[in-house]
Amino acid sequence: MSPLLVTRTLPEDATDAALRADVLHGLTDHPKWLPPKWFYDARGSELFERITELPEYYPTRAEREILTVRSGEIAAASGARTLIELGSGSSEKTRHLLDALAPAVYVPVDVSESALTQAGQALVEERPGLEVHALIADFTAPLDLPATPGPRLLAFLGGTIGNLLPDERAKFLAAVRSLLAPGDGLLLGTDLVKDERVLVRAYADAAGVTAAFNKNVLAVVDRELGADFDPDAFDHVALWDPEREWIEMRLRSRIAQTVKVPALDLAVDFAAGEELRTEVSAKFRRAGVSEELSDAGLELTHWWTDAEERFALSLSMA
Ligand code: AVJ
């Protein structure tokens, strides 16, 4: 049997139906909002890769430092024979884990079939004996994981859990727990609370790459739903919400304007200065992560940070 198996559980038309529902709901809500998942078309993914290399955007470097230094400990603590990774993308940061764990099976899960196929092909070529079972799926929906050797380690890296609102996080962690058997583990990447200026700079870089990334969601709605958003009629906003301890990205309408979305037979009025929220990126403290994991039935057993304590990887056991 080929060492690379790619399974699609995401229906082909899921994306179009989901985008239409999200745009209709979010643009008629008060205040207006869109889910961050729609950032990641080809241009958005390329812009995000550029963001990860920006001097102001520390999370990727900080997490890579932890994985480089601590993968041996993570492997020893989890003893996993299967590594499952949600939102695996290029699997670039996963290589340290795969080296240390040397699992029998790797199950990358992502919505991007191209990313999964490219990464999966490269991994089976360079790692004889590794079986890759890639899943084209939306990890926020119920997952149908293949039967693989235990114990299993489920990795959710990058700090992407911060994109979920608190109630969404509770549901997500409970769903993850329901996928795990006793002795399985969750390896979770979380960006940490820190100086507000450092946080805001990471989401409003001097080169304007994050501004372009943020505005790109308007181009996605224009292309997919025939809307007439003018990205230049909106300003990029990044702010720190100290009560909720999250960064919020918004797009502020420079003028009073009406945007048409023909595919939804919708006309959306924006007042001058009105803001559309495009992402929250929650920042965490160890006590809060431990509590959220415990509420989901997971026990935090290890907490690793980079030397500057900007980002953390936690291991929790089912
Ligand atoms: C990929 C969701 C972890 O929230 O920091 C980067 C996305 N947004 N710059 C994050 C993002 C603006 C990133 N995550």
Side-chain angles (χ1 to χ4, degrees):
M1 175 177 101
S2 156
L4 172 58
L5 190 59
V6 182
T7 310
R8 166 180 288 280
T9 61
L10 191 68
E12 292 280 353
D13 67 349
T15 305
D16 184 56
L19 177 62
R20 293 163 71 90
D22 284 348
V23 171
L24 180 61
H25 180 193
L27 295 191
T28 56
D29 205 353
H30 304 284
K32 298 179 177 70
W33 63 284
L34 289 173
K37 65 190 283 192
W38 303 115
F39 282 134
Y40 301 93
D41 65 346
R43 179 156 188 269
S45 300
E46 189 266 326
L47 285 166
F48 176 64
E49 285 310 311
R50 285 172 53 194
I51 284 171
T52 64
E53 293 156 8
L54 289 169
E56 299 95 329
Y57 191 78
Y58 60 84
T60 308
R61 284 190 294 279
E63 185 175 64
R64 186 182 298 127
E65 177 190 317
I66 304 168
L67 286 168
T68 305
V69 173
R70 302 292 186 178
S71 280
E73 286 178 60
I74 295 168
S78 88
R81 301 299 303 129
T82 294
L83 175 63
I84 302 159
E85 185 176 6
L86 304 185
S88 54
S90 66
S91 296
E92 199 41 53
K93 42 180 177 256
T94 324
R95 291 171 188 280
H96 298 293
L97 267 183
L98 287 168
D99 291 346
L101 271 174
V105 187
Y106 173 47
V107 183
V109 181
D110 204 289
V111 287
S112 165
E113 181 166 6
S114 62
L116 284 170
T117 309
Q118 279 167 24
Q121 199 55 49
L123 286 170
V124 295
E125 281 164 17
E126 70 193 41
R127 295 165 190 268
L130 174 66
E131 194 183 312
V132 176
H133 189 158
L135 285 188
I136 305 163
D138 176 352
F139 61 73
T140 59
L143 276 183
D144 183 11
L145 291 177
T148 58
R152 297 172 302 163
L153 179 63
L154 189 147
F156 188 38
L157 304 176
T160 301
I161 190 159
N163 273 179
L164 301 180
L165 299 173
D167 58 327
E168 295 170 330
R169 286 206 303 268
K171 289 194 191 88
F172 171 76
L173 289 172
V176 164
R177 175 63 187 84
S178 68
L179 291 172
L180 301 180
D184 289 344
L186 167 65
L187 184 67
L188 183 64
T190 47
D191 195 8
L192 302 179
V193 175
K194 57 180 69 63
D195 180 329
E196 169 175 354
R197 291 161 301 182
V198 173
L199 287 168
V200 171
R201 271 200 300 269
Y203 292 85
D205 61 283
V209 180
T210 307
F213 173 76
N214 195 10
K215 293 185 179 188
N216 181 60
V217 71
L218 303 180
V220 170
V221 177
D222 285 353
R223 182 182 66 243
E224 299 300 325
L225 302 182
D228 62 357
F229 274 107
D230 171 5
D232 292 335
F234 290 83
D235 285 318
H236 169 65
V237 174
L239 58 88
W240 172 243
D241 181 328
E243 280 73 47
R244 298 183 174 101
E245 294 198 321
W246 70 41
I247 281 283
E248 214 165 282
M249 287 210 313
R250 302 175 182 172
L251 290 170
R252 178 184 296 139
S253 181
R254 288 182 183 159
I255 52 171
Q257 57 183 310
T258 299
V259 177
K260 291 187 284 306
V261 189
L264 302 175
D265 194 19
L266 184 67
V268 186
D269 293 333
F270 285 86
E274 182 180 350
E275 296 178 339
L276 158 65
R277 191 183 78 191
T278 53
E279 182 182 66
V280 301
S281 191
K283 307 305 172 187
F284 294 89
R285 300 170 188 272
R286 176 173 180 156
V289 173
S290 181
E291 189 178 336
E292 291 190 38
L293 291 167
S294 171
D295 289 349
L298 291 159
E299 186 198 355
L300 190 151
T301 59
H302 294 77
W303 178 266
W304 296 283
T305 72
D306 62 299
E308 294 177 60
E309 298 185 72
R310 294 165 295 179
F311 195 92
L313 283 185
S314 58
L315 177 67
S316 57
M317 304 307 285

